[in-house]
C-alpha cells in the first residue's frame, strides 16, 4: 500500500499516527525497527534528523511525528474548517507536544524518583485541555471545531498514556474522561484498539509506563 510507518515496536511517537490512520480507514505497513536493526546504523543515517518515526506516502518520505500528523491531516480533511481553526489546532497540538516531552522525560529519565511528583503536578497539566473542551460546544465533541482533527488523535494518545500511568488522572476532568470514552468507541478506532498489533505493542521503549 501507499503508507509505511517506520518505527520501534512501541506506541511512543507513532501511536497518534496509527490511530489516525485506523480511524480514517487507511491501510498502512508497519516497518518495525528492532534495537538490532537500529544499532546497525544505516537506517539512522538515512533519517533527516537521525531519528524515527519515519513515514512514507508513496515516494514521499518524511520524519518528525507532528509533521507526519499534519501531512495526513492536510490530505484527509483533518485540519479544521478554515485558517483560524488550523491555527488553533497548531496551538493545541503544541500543547500536547509539551506534555508529551514531559511524559517522555519522566519515563526515560526519572521514572522511579519522579513518578509521584509528576502525578501530583498532573492536574495542572491536564486542566488546559479540559478548559479547551469546555469552550468548544460544551465539550461534547472534538478539541477544536465541529469535526475530528489530527490533534484529537494526538491528545487521545497522551490521555491514554496518562490513564495507564495514573488511572485516576481524569477523575476531576469529566469532559476529558467522556472525550476519551467517546473517541475510543469510534467503530474503526475501537477495532484497532482491540487489535493484536495494538495490544502487543509496549507503550514505551524501556518497559516503564
Ligand atoms: N521530534 C522527533 C523526535 C523523534 C525521536 O525522539 N525519536 C526517538 C525515538 S522516540 O523518542 O520517538 O521513542 C529516536 O529515534 N531515538 C533513537 C535515536 O535517537 O538514535 C519526532 O517528533 O518525531
Amino acid at each position: 500500500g501507499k503508507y509505511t510507518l517506520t518505527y520501534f515496536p512501541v506506541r511512543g511517537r507513532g501511536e497518534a499516527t496509527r490511530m489516525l490512520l485506523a480511524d480514517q480507514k487507511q491501510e498502512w505497513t508497519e516497518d518495525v525497527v528492532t534495537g538490532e536493526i537500529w544499532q546497525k546504523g544505516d537506517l539512522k543515517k538515512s533519517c533527516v534528523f537521525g531519528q524515527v518515526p519515519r513515514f512514507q506516502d508513496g515516494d514521499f518520505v518524511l520524519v518528525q511525528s507532528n509533521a507526519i500528523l499534519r501531512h495526513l491531516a492536510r490530505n484527509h480533511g483533518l485540519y479544521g474548517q478554515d485558517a483560524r481553526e488550523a491555527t488553533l489546532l497548531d496551538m493545541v497540538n503544541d500543547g500536547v507536544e509539551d506534555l508529551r516531552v514531559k511524559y517522555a522525560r519522566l519515563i526515560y529519565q526519572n521514572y522511579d524518583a519522579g513518578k509521584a511528583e509528576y502525578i501530583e503536578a498532573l492536574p495542572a497539566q491536564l486542566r488546559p485541555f479540559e478548559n479547551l473542551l469546555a469552550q468548544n460546544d460544551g465539550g461534547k465533541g472534538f478539541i477544536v471545531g465541529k469535526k475530528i482533527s489530527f490533534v484529537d488523535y494526538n491528545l487521545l494518545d497522551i490521555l491514554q498514556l496518562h490513564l495507564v500511568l495514573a488511572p485516576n488522572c481524569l477523575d476531576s476532568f469529566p469532559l476529558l474522561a467522556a472525550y476519551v470514552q467517546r473517541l475510543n468507541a469510534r467503530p474503526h478506532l475501537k477495532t484497532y484498539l482491540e487489535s493484536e498489533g495494538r495490544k502487543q505493542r509496549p507503550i514505551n521503549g524501556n518497559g516503564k509506563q
Side-chain angles (χ1 to χ4, degrees):
K2 154 172 160 181
Y3 292 144
T4 299
L5 177 66
T6 300
Y7 192 51
F8 301 120
V10 298
R11 289 195 206 169
R13 287 186 171 277
E15 198 66 11
T17 294
R18 295 183 179 113
M19 291 198 285
L20 183 159
L21 291 169
D23 190 52
Q24 295 297 316
K25 294 173 20 181
Q26 299 298 313
E27 304 262 307
W28 76 95
T29 301
E30 286 283 346
D31 173 16
V32 181
V33 182
T34 64
E36 196 182 353
I37 292 172
W38 192 248
Q39 292 313 320
K40 277 179 59 228
D42 303 352
L43 172 61
K44 182 175 175 73
K45 282 198 191 73
S46 75
C47 292
V48 176
F49 299 101
Q51 296 194 307
V52 284
R54 180 182 73 186
F55 193 75
Q56 287 160 263
D57 177 352
D59 61 0
F60 183 46
V61 183
L62 68 154
V63 294
Q64 289 294 352
S65 57
N66 290 301
I68 294 166
L69 286 171
R70 290 186 164 96
H71 172 69
L72 292 169
R74 288 185 194 94
N75 292 348
H76 292 279
L78 303 170
Y79 219 133
Q81 69 173 19
D82 55 30
R84 176 174 290 234
E85 284 195 357
T87 299
L88 285 173
L89 286 168
D90 284 341
M91 175 186 82
V92 180
N93 198 64
D94 284 353
V96 174
E97 173 65 17
D98 285 345
L99 181 52
R100 185 179 295 281
V101 168
K102 291 170 184 163
Y103 170 84
R105 191 179 307 125
L106 169 73
I107 294 291
Y108 290 104
Q109 297 173 22
N110 192 30
Y111 190 81
D112 297 330
K115 180 175 177 179
E117 185 184 347
Y118 183 92
I119 291 174
E120 198 181 333
L122 188 51
Q125 298 296 320
L126 297 172
R127 166 68 57 198
F129 300 107
E130 181 82 0
N131 292 344
L132 282 163
L133 275 182
Q135 291 151 19
N136 184 24
D137 191 26
K140 296 188 298 295
F142 305 103
I143 195 66
V144 167
K146 298 257 182 293
K147 340 190 314 182
I148 199 162
S149 75
F150 73 98
V151 182
D152 290 299
Y153 301 109
N154 204 15
L155 177 55
L156 176 62
D157 177 53
I158 203 76
L159 291 173
Q160 290 172 344
L161 297 176
H162 281 87
L163 282 166
V164 172
L165 177 73
N168 302 322
C169 72
L170 298 184
D171 287 0
S172 42
F173 300 117
L175 295 177
L176 284 175
Y179 172 82
V180 170
Q181 296 305 321
R182 192 164 60 242
L183 292 179
N184 283 348
R186 289 167 63 90
H188 301 292
L189 183 49
K190 183 173 187 295
T191 301
Y192 168 70
L193 295 176
E194 292 166 352
S195 71
E196 280 314 301
R198 161 81 179 204
K199 288 195 287 191
Q200 296 296 330
R201 245 186 309 272
I203 294 181
N204 301 298
N206 64 354
K208 297 185 190 300
Q209 58 183 31

